[in-house]
Amino acid sequence: MEIVRMLKGRDFLTLLDFTPQEFKYLVERSYQHKHGLVAGKPLEGKSVAGIFEKPSTRTRVSMTVATYQLGGNFMELPTSSLQVSRGETLKDTALVLSRFVDAIAARVKSHSTLEELAKWATVPVINMLSDKFHPLQALADVFTIRERFGERKVKVAFVGDGSANTCHSLMVASALYGYDFVVVAPEEYWPDKEVLEKANEIAQETNTIIELISDPREGVKDADVIYTDTWLSMGVSDVDKRLEVFPPYQVNGELLSHAPEHAVVMHCQPWFIGQEITADVAYGPKSIAFDQAENRLYTAKAVLESIIP
Ligand code: CP
Ligand code: NVA
């Protein structure tokens, strides 16, 4: 009961703001939503403003359907259709939206945009992806791993771009949930130092390990989960360099032959088949990527219901 009360009114910008107990509650609550154990329409009469500076399929649809199923209304607001496109400040946007809606969700280019919105909004602000973090995704990822492996301790290997949103959030989520985590990436694409330091503080508390490895075969050798994401996240500029350094990190049959037989493959999608993952792996028997995508719905419901007062 205490956790339920603690979550109300909170922003959901990064999982670094949550305790292991709070994060575990959100995973458990996602399970309850998936299995029809939550009654009523907790968002009846409530609205969520959904600001998009970048494209989205899974996040946009899961948040829309989640809000609807909880009894509320999700408004899609591409920034090109808002007055911010004509120079209205984020401050005024946040102050005005707060007079109409019960939460502001935003997918932004720079994480600082979310921080500015959250500074002025008087309603909770939810990160639907920034350059630095993708917490809604990581919650669904851990929920999907828990669904597959039960209560046992798991080791997650993130293979590819360790410096982007997906890896950052999954690293923090793994530490919060009690999973060991290994970043398997070229050194220049290892995680942001500050995020790593904070994730390590959580890992100490939860008795888990975070490793950084640049050899892909070594990195996957005792992993239960092999996770990858695009090498070319939205907004990156060093495309040529990335296409040069990342190919040894492709998740393909050869790499998987160095992982345990029982290992599963995950990807937040959208994927770029032939770059970070091959078609036989993406659509093959080890892939749980579509369960992962489906689970975005239940985890979105858990977050919306928990933080909107
Ligand atoms: N995984 C994810 O966030 O997908 P979208 O970009 O389609 O929302
Ligand atoms: N890292 C990817 C995730 C897309 C859901 C990106 O930022 O483009």
Side-chain angles (χ1 to χ4, degrees), residues 55-60 107 134 137 234 268-270 296:
S56 170
T57 299
R58 279 142 289 265
T59 307
R60 174 176 153 206
R107 168 166 286 207
H134 197 1
Q137 180 67 54
M234 293 178 273
C268 59
Q269 303 182 321
R296 294 291 307 272

Side-chain angles (χ1 to χ4, degrees), residues 51-260:
I51 299 176
F52 289 90
E53 278 187 353
K54 289 175 172 180
S56 170
T57 299
R58 279 142 289 265
T59 307
R60 174 176 153 206
V61 177
S62 60
M63 288 289 279
T64 306
V65 175
T67 311
Y68 169 74
Q69 290 184 358
L70 293 171
N73 167 49
F74 184 93
M75 252 170 297
E76 262 187 44
L77 305 170
T79 40
S80 57
S81 72
L82 289 172
Q83 295 288 14
V84 278
S85 65
R86 293 180 56 246
E88 186 169 29
T89 60
L90 292 169
K91 173 179 173 175
D92 290 347
T93 306
L95 287 170
V96 169
L97 288 178
S98 297
R99 298 290 178 113
F100 298 128
V101 301
D102 302 280
I104 299 170
R107 168 166 286 207
V108 298
K109 292 179 184 156
S110 163
H111 193 73
S112 61
T113 300
L114 283 167
E115 290 170 340
E116 178 71 2
L117 286 170
K119 179 174 169 190
W120 298 106
T122 56
V123 296
V125 176
I126 301 172
N127 180 356
M128 293 198 291
L129 180 146
S130 70
D131 54 341
K132 210 166 167 189
F133 296 112
H134 197 1
L136 287 169
Q137 180 67 54
L139 174 61
D141 298 340
V142 165
F143 174 59
T144 308
I145 296 169
R146 168 73 178 79
E147 190 169 59
R148 173 54 76 118
F149 287 94
E151 280 182 13
R152 87 170 177 81
K153 188 165 183 169
V154 164
K155 181 168 183 180
V156 179
F158 185 97
V159 184
D161 182 6
S163 67
N165 43 23
T166 308
C167 181
H168 283 163
S169 286
L170 188 58
M171 177 168 71
V172 176
S174 296
L176 285 168
Y177 203 69
Y179 292 156
D180 290 333
F181 194 77
V182 52
V183 180
V184 189
E187 257 181 66
E188 61 262 64
Y189 293 101
W190 280 359
D192 175 90
K193 285 210 162 53
E194 201 187 319
V195 177
L196 180 64
E197 208 175 286
K198 289 182 179 161
N200 265 320
E201 283 168 22
I202 299 170
Q204 263 190 343
E205 195 187 326
T206 58
N207 214 8
T208 59
I209 296 167
I210 299 173
E211 293 170 275
L212 307 178
I213 292 181
S214 52
D215 177 349
R217 292 175 178 182
E218 175 70 17
V220 301
K221 77 169 194 278
D222 53 359
D224 303 293
V225 175
I226 316 286
Y227 194 118
T228 190
D229 182 17
T230 179
W231 300 332
L232 305 176
S233 280
M234 293 178 273
V236 299
S237 50
D238 54 342
V239 172
D240 292 346
K241 184 176 165 207
R242 285 166 176 268
L243 292 179
E244 208 177 293
V245 300
F246 280 120
Y249 297 85
Q250 183 185 66
V251 175
N252 54 30
E254 203 284 320
L255 185 67
L256 290 185
S257 72
H258 298 276

